[in-house]
Amino acid sequence: MDLWMNVYVTEKRSRKNRFPRIQVCLYTLESYTRLPLENAYLYIEFDTAYGDDAIVATQNKIRQLFGDKLKIFSPRRLIAHEDWRQALRNISSPGFKGSTSGHRSSDELRELKQRLILFTQNDDHVFIDKDTDVLVEGLRRMRLDPARFSTLYYSHWPEILKVSGKLFPPVRRGSYVVARLTLSDAVQICNFGFVKFLIETVPWRKLDEKARRVDNLLVHQDLWQLKSSFPGVNVVKVILQNIYIPLRELFRKFDGYHAQHIHTIESLVLPPNANKFSYDKKSLQSKMLAVPAVGGSTLWNKNNNFLIPEEWVRAMFALYGNNDTRLVNPVY
């Protein structure tokens, strides 16, 4: 798996910062050194307000974190569509021609299907799982998936579990459930074919040929309850992906999900070793079922009548090492 990050780090944000964002970004990247990464392509632009000394010191720490795995380290965030295209060419394997004739070599097909990329435009989604076992299982299942596009939605855990069955019944596969959805959200591990599709095939006209993040490149009309046309957004009706959703929390947004009125999942803190994770059954169940059965604060949950099955809760308990998988309370 490779890491492709494209972010702008600044203290100027709509919400008050609990900790310096430059340190949050560094904590996030430190957590990624635990992942089974082969290459890292980092486009990280720091606000000049930090000053040259702080920026250079942070950049040097990042270089130390990734060592020889760091193949690209750009001080500028990608925005213009043509810059995204050039970056895609830069990270493509040597010899990958990207044929559009329909006749691809076996090596090209392998790269499109089996090369996986943690594709993010966030600097604050931290890997928090106790080990990489569940993650590695998901990567293996993605590589074996016959679907053209497969992704793994690694953060916003209770929200994506709840939305997984909004349009179609999800399927359980080991430590994951697989949903048929269309999402270009920038918190996914994607096969290379999907990343290439987003950058080279999806029209960027409604985004004025520029994007700081790819979330609006594909927005499914029924999932988001949108009209067929929406400014600055590609609204689609087609289902494109098999999305793998873990039954154990893998990553967490540093500030939690209070903006989505989810308060049973704690925000993270600095220094990293000050974070304490509770794995008792009551706490785990409250996290998994944090989104209410009816309602919720996002468009994802508008008209979403899907209920998390008891089977998933029991499987989650088992993944956290609880031999007693009986529910603490009724699911709903």
Side-chain angles (χ1 to χ4, degrees), residues 5-8 42-48 55 59 72-79 83:
M5 174 184 275
N6 185 62
V7 295
Y8 177 68
L42 306 180
Y43 294 78
I44 303 178
E45 184 172 348
F46 293 98
D47 189 337
T48 56
I55 292 173
Q59 290 171 332
I72 294 175
F73 191 12
S74 170
R76 293 290 175 265
R77 175 177 55 172
L78 301 166
I79 298 177
D83 291 339

Side-chain angles (χ1 to χ4, degrees), residues 62-75:
I62 293 171
R63 290 188 181 95
Q64 292 171 4
L65 285 175
F66 292 97
D68 293 340
K69 295 179 181 179
L70 186 56
K71 299 301 191 290
I72 294 175
F73 191 12
S74 170

Side-chain angles (χ1 to χ4, degrees), residues 247 279-286 288 310-329:
L247 292 174
Y279 299 121
D280 67 275
K281 289 174 59 178
K282 183 177 180 180
S283 175
L284 290 172
Q285 185 169 324
S286 69
M288 190 180 202
E310 288 187 9
E311 173 204 350
W312 294 11
V313 182
R314 299 181 194 279
M316 179 269 294
F317 286 155
L319 286 172
Y320 279 105
N322 286 295
N323 294 323
D324 180 2
T325 60
R326 291 174 297 178
L327 273 63
V328 178
N329 298 303

Side-chain angles (χ1 to χ4, degrees), residues 112-128:
L112 290 170
K113 289 280 294 172
Q114 297 194 16
R115 184 183 180 192
L116 305 179
I117 297 179
L118 196 164
F119 187 46
T120 183
Q121 290 96 63
N122 296 279
D123 61 1
D124 59 351
H125 288 255
V126 181
F127 179 70
I128 64 162

Side-chain angles (χ1 to χ4, degrees), residues 77-134:
R77 175 177 55 172
L78 301 166
I79 298 177
H81 192 189
E82 183 50 44
D83 291 339
W84 280 99
R85 286 192 180 112
Q86 183 58 54
L88 181 70
R89 291 191 286 270
N90 291 342
I91 75 165
S92 297
S93 298
F96 184 86
K97 299 180 177 60
S99 171
T100 57
S101 65
H103 302 288
R104 298 186 184 275
S105 69
S106 59
D107 288 342
E108 286 180 313
L109 290 172
R110 189 177 302 110
E111 174 151 12
L112 290 170
K113 289 280 294 172
Q114 297 194 16
R115 184 183 180 192
L116 305 179
I117 297 179
L118 196 164
F119 187 46
T120 183
Q121 290 96 63
N122 296 279
D123 61 1
D124 59 351
H125 288 255
V126 181
F127 179 70
I128 64 162
D129 202 4
K130 57 183 181 179
D131 56 46
T132 59
D133 292 355
V134 173

Side-chain angles (χ1 to χ4, degrees), residues 235-252:
V235 179
V236 299
K237 295 183 178 181
V238 65
I239 298 293
L240 291 173
Q241 297 148 261
N242 277 352
I243 300 185
Y244 285 75
I245 302 165
L247 292 174
R248 194 165 82 184
E249 188 181 14
L250 302 183
F251 294 67
R252 184 181 300 176

